[in-house]
Amino acid sequence: MKVVELLKLLCEGLKMLSESEGRVDDWRYVSMYEEFVHMRDLGLKYREAVRMLSEEYQVGRATVERLLKRMGAEC
């Protein structure tokens, strides 16, 4: 399969992602967002969850917060 064929298959989904200000590389952080939601459901404080995810995924706190905001946005 060529890249152009894959783009044809995913065209509508990629348009929606672009319009909702998502990024193509955000697929890497889906599990992080799910972990965050689970932590919050268990009653963990927001800042503590962000700190733990920042350490686990080896990204900055602000990066985690930006990703969480993007992932939680309606599209």
Side-chain angles (χ1 to χ4, degrees):
M1 174 182 286
K2 294 186 179 188
V3 172
V4 70
E5 294 167 337
L6 183 60
L7 287 171
K8 285 180 183 180
L9 289 172
L10 302 174
C11 186
E12 290 303 314
L14 289 171
K15 281 182 189 177
M16 287 178 58
L17 181 65
S18 177
E19 290 168 359
S20 66
E21 299 182 10
R23 298 194 180 151
V24 177
D25 288 341
D26 283 350
W27 64 269
R28 297 177 188 181
Y29 300 105
V30 170
S31 61
M32 179 177 67
Y33 183 78
E34 290 173 343
E35 280 184 58
F36 173 77
V37 171
H38 181 69
M39 289 174 170
R40 295 292 287 157
D41 287 344
L42 293 175
L44 198 62
K45 300 274 186 194
Y46 174 85
R47 287 186 182 200
E48 184 63 15
V50 168
R51 184 193 63 75
M52 291 171 68
L53 292 170
S54 174
E55 290 176 5
E56 182 178 341
Y57 286 85
Q58 297 180 353
V59 294
R61 178 197 49 78
T63 300
V64 172
E65 290 179 342
R66 279 193 304 271
L67 286 164
L68 294 174
K69 184 178 179 183
R70 262 199 325 267
M71 295 278 197
E74 292 288 328
C75 60

